[in-house]
Amino acid sequence: MQRLTMEEKVALLAGTDIWHTPPIARLGIGAIKTSDGPSGVRGKFAVDGPKAAFVPGPVCQAATWSLSQIYSLGRLLCKEAKTKSAHVLLAPTICCARNPLGGRNFECFGEDPFLSGRLAVEYVKGVQESGEVAATPKHFVANEQEHLRFNINAVISDKALREIYLRPFEVLICSASPPDCIMTSYNCVNGEHLDMNSRIIRDILRGEWGFKGLVMSDWGGTNSTLESLLAGLDLEMPGPPERRGRKLLDAIEQSNYDPKLMAALDESVVRVLRLARKHGLLGLSPEDAEKTRDSQEISCTTPEDIKLMRDIAASGIVLLKNSQQTLPLKARSLAGKQVAFIGPNALDGTPGGGGSATMNPQYLSRPMESFRAVAMTHGIDVTVKHTLGAYARKWLPLFSESQWAVNGHNPSQNLVRVDYYLSNDLSGPTKETQFRGSSNVDMSDSSPLDFQVDPVPAYSFRITSTVTPSKSGRHTFSLSSVGGSRLYVDGKLIIDNGSWTEPGETFYAFGSAEATGTTKMETHQKYNITVEGWATRPDGIYTADANHVFAAHPSVRIGYLEELPTPEAMIDEAVALADESDATIVVIGLSDEWESEGYDRKDMALPGAQNQLVEALAKRAKRPHSIVYVNQSGSPVEVPWIHDVSTFVQAWYGGQEAGNALADVLLGYTNPSGRLPCTWPQKYSDLPFEADPESWPGVGETVLYKEETQVGYRWFNHNPDVTPQWWFGFGLSYTSFSTTLIRVRESEDSWTVHVDVDNTGAYPGQQIVQVYVWPNQTPQDKALVGIEKTSLIQPGNRECVTLNIRTRDAARWVSGRWVIDGGIYSLGVGTGVGEASDSVISLDVKGHSWGPEEY
Ligand code: BGC
């Protein structure tokens, strides 16, 4: 500290580029490297970087309700972070699934603050245990929507803030293994942006909860120079600094080296240095290159790691309906038979949601192919056959390796060639050429290094590739871009997106709406495709209001779709395929195009003609009970046909092991043990949002959290005129359990709860013991206070489970304190809130209260 100059201190308090803090070579201080999070550890490139383990999505992790699996996952993520030379993992996301339309719900642990907090504790323990990687829970706090996320002002009562939104962070920060870092959210809470919200950072986080670690802003979420520093925000991210750097130096000078400011500055510098020291960065060592844990390169993705990802993806799968016992499929009787795979997610499936949680996976396991392969490893040879059934994309598909190639290059690595020009009209010499493996060409982190400077120069690029159509027809191309773009097929202009005005949702919602154009093409003929992209204005500003770090570079997403049959013809083909098959798996749902950072869903319906597909199969197929419906999504979708189908499975997004895990469950090699981490409404209009834009997504830049603490199951418990499709905590198994509360031992600040779980069915299985507490006077105030997952219990066997529950976890926030009113309470165990099987014991509870700093 003493050897640092003022300039160096200030430099340490902001990033130097998108992922690093600045090194100070003179003093041997190395750069701290951060990396997203939370579906794996991606490394520095958003799309095309070195491959990484794509772990099951966070909401799927939460659906396991397994503390031990989440801890093991944390350890795996620590190993992954090291392969990307990252010291800081930007995860977990522990905001609340307030509304099923929230774009980032897939990234969170669901709707319940206790479940989120408990899982986060295990996750962070696993990530940080070896001392090599820091975890960064985010986004602190109340980032429940993407609409206007940079500035939206969430107006929340103190009670709702404490009991719901701050709560998971409190459980984590006050645990025995607090995180080393925390990331503030973009939004405002009660009028103040989080980066400078001294009430929340200084008073609550640091004051009441005693957080000693580093507080960083979300990317581009530092909104002030002095206020953020005084509030206790240590690090502006990313760099180069927008609000600090020169501006902070000037402000310090102007304040005449105000002692209060100097003290805040020093405190923040100490916290950055402490983190650097913990990661061996005091004493300069050059950063290692990024690697993948690919089997060819290094053998870090061990069979144990692959098994863990597969087990988590399978344990998170929730069996929601199985009224004809169609599942598990009788694997042996499928030998030599045909299984149909129908639906938009049946072939490729969706491994995860979009945005900064995107990964470049080491490999993918896909629903249909994995089903065949998993059956085969058990000696069962099945024939699989696919038809789409319904088209459900938001944007046209990206280029596929089977049809696209850059002439003369290995197609699997090089789907497109990009030539860059240091002009905004493609004039002048080629500055650099890159080959890329995706037609989602995001330049913000991977344009030539000469362009990764501040300010970004006005530049342009030409993308070339060739396509060989698999059939003749009128095929469609699409472009959406930050900056201008045009697409040519064999030299003919097909799309001119040069002066777009309608914004879309690509590139974190900074890109244009998708522009499309069609052209007639012949099968097996090769066509040259050229796309040009450029800075819209010579001063290097690419969109109308693009001052944001994500809009500083031109980027383009190119789509291609071959002519499809009509929706009716696709459905007819699906019904015919189901009829000629011995079993049918319909994989429907959402994808990373529908659920992503940057935007929310517009409604809760399945997109495209998916409902019509299911309805047709349910009504017209000859053997409707041989059909299994599987949904992939990070949030509930409306299932208006649920009474017409006998089987329904919620598979979330399972990462690179999604296909294998699904096959394990469908074939019965894994008995599903997932439970919903969010209540599943029957319809969106049952929630308090549809008729009230002030509550969602807000009017102007204000959103009112009017439902107060009544989020998820708490809403349904307080509004008995609406019932959910399935309650929070619900999930079936191939076996049955009897879960009985045996006794509760009360001490001053805890309840020791003994529960017997008997496997009363025919399959080995795991049960989740869920403990809820409610005052007898107000049973609608039921809240989860304890969770434990049993081991695999054999049929006829019993497992005795003991849980230690802190009474403070049942307290409510009243006038600045945590309070339990004296009186008679019920403590019950059950499968899901609202399920009839609660085994209940009455408790005579003495009133008690705790100060805000007591946890
Ligand atoms: C996201 C963060 C992420 C950061 C860096 C932001 O837009 O909100 O979750 O960690 O970008 O990619």
Side-chain angles (χ1 to χ4, degrees):
M1 271 295 283
Q2 279 157 9
R3 292 165 63 200
L4 287 168
T5 64
M6 181 60 75
E7 281 72 16
E8 287 167 338
K9 284 184 183 178
V10 166
L12 281 174
L13 300 189
T16 185
D17 62 21
I18 183 157
W19 303 121
H20 296 84
T21 62
I24 298 183
R26 182 180 80 83
L27 296 174
I29 301 173
I32 302 170
K33 181 177 182 184
T34 63
S35 185
D36 284 314
S39 302
V41 189
R42 191 186 54 241
K44 62 185 172 196
F45 296 111
V47 181
D48 255 347
K51 293 175 188 298
F54 196 158
V55 306
V59 71
C60 178
Q61 297 165 24
T64 68
W65 290 59
S66 168
L67 301 173
S68 60
Q69 281 183 326
I70 301 306
Y71 163 71
S72 304
L73 180 75
R75 291 174 51 124
L76 185 154
L77 291 170
C78 171
K79 289 196 275 179
E80 278 293 301
K82 282 160 60 189
T83 69
K84 300 292 176 277
S85 309
H87 312 105
V88 176
L89 172 65
L90 303 175
T93 309
I94 49 173
C95 285
C96 171
R98 175 178 176 239
N99 178 323
L101 307 190
R104 295 183 89 164
N105 286 354
F106 77 91
E107 247 189 75
C108 311
F109 290 151
E111 74 188 26
D112 184 76
F114 178 78
L115 179 65
S116 301
R118 278 300 287 118
L119 295 175
V121 170
E122 299 304 318
Y123 187 105
V124 168
K125 203 197 291 172
V127 170
Q128 295 194 161
E129 200 172 54
S130 71
E132 297 157 297
V133 176
T136 315
K138 61 188 187 182
H139 307 87
F140 188 61
V141 60
N143 176 197
E144 274 77 42
Q145 66 181 59
E146 293 302 283
H147 176 71
L148 300 180
R149 65 175 171 153
F150 299 118
N151 292 311
I152 192 90
N153 178 26
V155 177
I156 314 179
S157 72
D158 210 25
K159 182 173 173 65
L161 196 58
R162 292 287 183 158
E163 290 185 14
I164 306 288
Y165 301 101
L166 286 170
R167 194 74 213 299
F169 291 96
E170 182 192 30
V171 171
L172 174 58
I173 303 289
C174 299
S175 73
S177 48
D180 288 338
C181 304
I182 193 167
M183 185 193 292
T184 55
S185 56
Y186 285 125
N187 48 282
C188 305
V189 166
N190 297 332
E192 189 91 78
H193 271 110
L194 254 300
D195 63 288
M196 48 178 155
N197 199 317
S198 54
R199 169 88 192 106
I200 291 180
I201 302 180
R202 198 186 54 207
D203 300 350
I204 297 179
L205 173 70
R206 294 207 192 278
E208 293 175 10
W209 302 346
F211 181 64
K212 301 269 182 299
L214 178 135
V215 183
M216 69 180 82
S217 70
D218 198 348
W219 269 226
T222 306
N223 296 283
S224 58
T225 301
L226 289 185
E227 291 93 323
S228 71
L229 191 64
L230 291 169
L233 182 98
D234 302 311
L235 186 63
E236 170 184 2
M237 283 305 282
E242 274 275 317
R243 301 286 184 167
R244 295 188 171 179
R246 187 70 254 163
K247 283 184 192 148
L248 180 53
L249 280 169
D250 290 348
I252 291 172
E253 217 177 290
Q254 272 159 26
S255 80
N256 216 359
Y257 301 88
D258 173 6
K260 202 165 140 217
L261 190 55
M262 302 318 295
L265 180 88
D266 281 358
E267 275 171 33
S268 285
V269 173
V270 166
R271 285 193 282 259
V272 175
L273 290 178
R274 212 184 278 144
L275 186 69
R277 180 178 61 194
K278 183 159 180 190
H279 295 287
L281 292 165
L282 298 189
L284 194 63
S285 52
E287 183 178 307
D288 291 336
E290 295 189 350
K291 302 185 269 294
T292 178
R293 299 203 295 151
D294 223 303
S295 45
Q296 287 103 30
E297 294 192 28
I298 44 171
S299 58
C300 287
T301 304
T302 58
E304 291 75 36
D305 290 342
I306 293 175
K307 182 171 176 336
L308 178 68
M309 289 189 273
R310 183 167 175 167
D311 285 350
I312 292 177
S315 315
I317 290 177
V318 188
L319 179 64
L320 290 170
K321 190 166 183 189
N322 195 21
S323 56
Q324 300 293 321
Q325 271 70 55
T326 309
L327 290 176
L329 296 172
K330 307 285 171 297
R332 298 250 152 249
S333 63
L334 287 178
K337 301 280 175 54
Q338 175 170 301
V339 180
F341 274 79
I342 296 173
N345 292 29
L347 211 53
D348 291 335
T350 301
S356 59
T358 303
M359 300 295 299
N360 186 11
Q362 294 166 333
Y363 57 86
L364 284 178
S365 67
R366 301 175 161 89
M368 182 171 88
E369 188 42 39
S370 300
F371 185 90
R372 199 195 56 73
V374 170
M376 191 55 121
T377 57
H378 291 273
I380 301 155
D381 192 4
V382 295
T383 304
V384 288
K385 220 167 160 186
H386 170 257
T387 189
L388 185 59
Y391 181 76
R393 285 183 170 271
K394 188 177 212 173
W395 303 310
L396 265 48
L398 294 170
F399 296 176
S400 68
E401 288 174 14
S402 57
Q403 288 182 288
W404 288 84
V406 175
N407 277 338
H409 283 270
N410 170 6
S412 71
Q413 302 297 321
N414 302 297
L415 292 183
V416 297
R417 169 188 168 126
V418 191
D419 293 298
Y420 293 89
Y421 305 89
L422 186 51
S423 62
N424 79 327
D425 59 1
L426 294 101
S427 62
T430 308
K431 276 290 285 179
E432 193 174 311
T433 298
Q434 292 177 343
F435 293 90
R436 290 177 173 242
S438 168
S439 64
N440 183 20
V441 185
D442 184 343
M443 301 297 187
S444 60
D445 55 10
S446 51
S447 64
L449 282 180
D450 288 357
F451 300 166
Q452 299 276 333
V453 290
D454 187 35
V456 178
Y459 69 92
S460 51
F461 53 85
R462 179 175 290 111
I463 296 174
T464 47
S465 186
T466 63
V467 62
T468 312
S470 65
K471 61 180 185 189
S472 300
R474 181 156 274 286
H475 300 338
T476 310
F477 290 86
S478 73
L479 290 179
S480 67
S481 53
V482 180
S485 57
R486 270 189 212 114
L487 182 140
Y488 302 83
V489 177
D490 279 348
K492 189 170 140 216
L493 181 67
I494 302 294
I495 307 171
D496 187 350
N497 195 36
S499 44
W500 60 268
T501 50
E502 191 193 337
E505 293 177 337
T506 54
F507 303 109
Y508 300 99
F510 284 107
S512 67
E514 188 177 47
T516 57
T518 63
T519 185
K520 194 122 191 30
M521 297 169 86
E522 299 301 325
T523 181
H524 299 321
Q525 199 172 308
K526 198 179 258 184
Y527 294 84
N528 292 314
I529 310 301
T530 306
V531 170
E532 295 171 347
W534 63 90
T536 315
R537 291 195 251 149
D539 59 5
I541 295 174
Y542 299 98
T543 56
D545 58 352
N547 280 324
H548 198 271
V549 44
F550 294 141
H553 291 258
S555 290
V556 67
R557 182 191 186 282
I558 320 167
Y560 169 69
L561 179 69
E562 297 190 349
E563 193 172 349
L564 289 172
T566 63
E568 295 74 27
M570 281 195 269
I571 287 177
D572 289 347
E573 205 176 313
V575 175
L577 180 63
D579 283 348
E580 65 162 65
S581 304
D582 299 281
T584 296
I585 318 291
V586 182
V587 193
I588 51 176
L590 306 175
S591 69
D592 55 354
E593 294 173 1
W594 297 101
E595 289 188 282
S596 169
E597 176 180 340
Y599 47 85
D600 304 304
R601 274 192 295 157
K602 303 275 184 293
D603 56 45
M604 229 181 97
L606 281 164
Q610 298 190 83
N611 283 335
Q612 289 87 323
L613 170 68
V614 177
E615 278 154 13
L617 284 165
K619 289 208 177 74
R620 287 164 46 197
K622 285 197 213 116
R623 283 166 294 108
H625 297 323
S626 69
I627 305 180
V628 175
Y629 296 88
V630 177
N631 182 64
Q632 288 188 320
S633 65
S635 281
V637 294
E638 283 165 353
V639 287
W641 33 258
I642 193 68
H643 298 294
D644 302 327
V645 306
S646 53
T647 315
F648 186 66
V649 174
Q650 173 62 15
W652 315 105
Y653 300 132
Q656 65 191 38
E657 280 295 329
N660 290 331
L662 181 62
D664 289 343
V665 167
L666 298 180
L667 289 164
Y669 300 123
T670 299
N671 185 352
S673 58
R675 304 287 183 262
L676 291 177
C678 47
T679 306
W680 195 296
Q682 291 186 42
K683 46 190 193 314
Y684 186 59
S685 55
D686 289 343
L687 297 172
F689 303 115
E690 192 174 59
D692 187 4
E694 283 182 347
S695 287
W696 184 277
V699 172
E701 290 198 332
T702 302
V703 59
L704 308 178
Y705 282 39
K706 287 187 197 170
E707 73 286 2
E708 296 275 329
T709 57
Q710 292 177 25
V711 178
Y713 65 85
R714 292 167 167 87
W715 168 260
F716 286 96
N717 270 336
H718 279 83
N719 293 277
D721 49 321
V722 282
T723 36
Q725 190 69 54
W726 296 288
W727 286 96
F728 171 84
F730 180 73
L732 301 167
S733 165
Y734 295 153
T735 192
S736 51
F737 297 102
S738 146
T739 307
T740 318
L741 192 51
I742 302 299
R743 63 177 177 280
V744 179
R745 200 159 282 139
E746 298 172 62
S747 75
E748 200 171 307
D749 54 5
S750 70
W751 297 306
T752 307
V753 178
H754 297 270
V755 179
D756 280 357
V757 182
D758 291 279
N759 184 340
T760 52
Y763 290 86
Q766 287 176 279
Q767 168 69 312
I768 318 269
V769 179
Q770 309 171 26
V771 182
Y772 297 91
V773 169
W774 60 97
N776 282 10
Q777 296 289 325
T778 51
Q780 66 275 21
D781 287 332
K782 195 173 192 179
L784 181 76
V785 290
I787 55 171
E788 192 67 59
K789 189 164 190 165
T790 67
S791 57
L792 196 70
I793 310 176
Q794 294 301 320
N797 282 12
R798 165 178 298 172
E799 185 165 313
C800 306
V801 179
T802 305
L803 297 96
N804 271 311
I805 290 166
R806 305 157 72 138
T807 41
R808 160 75 163 76
D809 282 328
R812 299 284 149 253
W813 182 257
V814 184
S815 312
R817 288 182 71 79
W818 290 102
V819 175
I820 280 210
D821 289 327
I824 307 296
Y825 283 67
S826 294
L827 186 147
V829 291
T831 308
V833 185
E835 296 304 313
S837 62
D838 273 329
S839 165
V840 177
I841 282 181
S842 268
L843 300 173
D844 190 354
V845 174
K846 273 203 232 65
H848 192 78
S849 79
W850 295 259
E853 66 299 332
E854 290 177 78
Y855 185 67

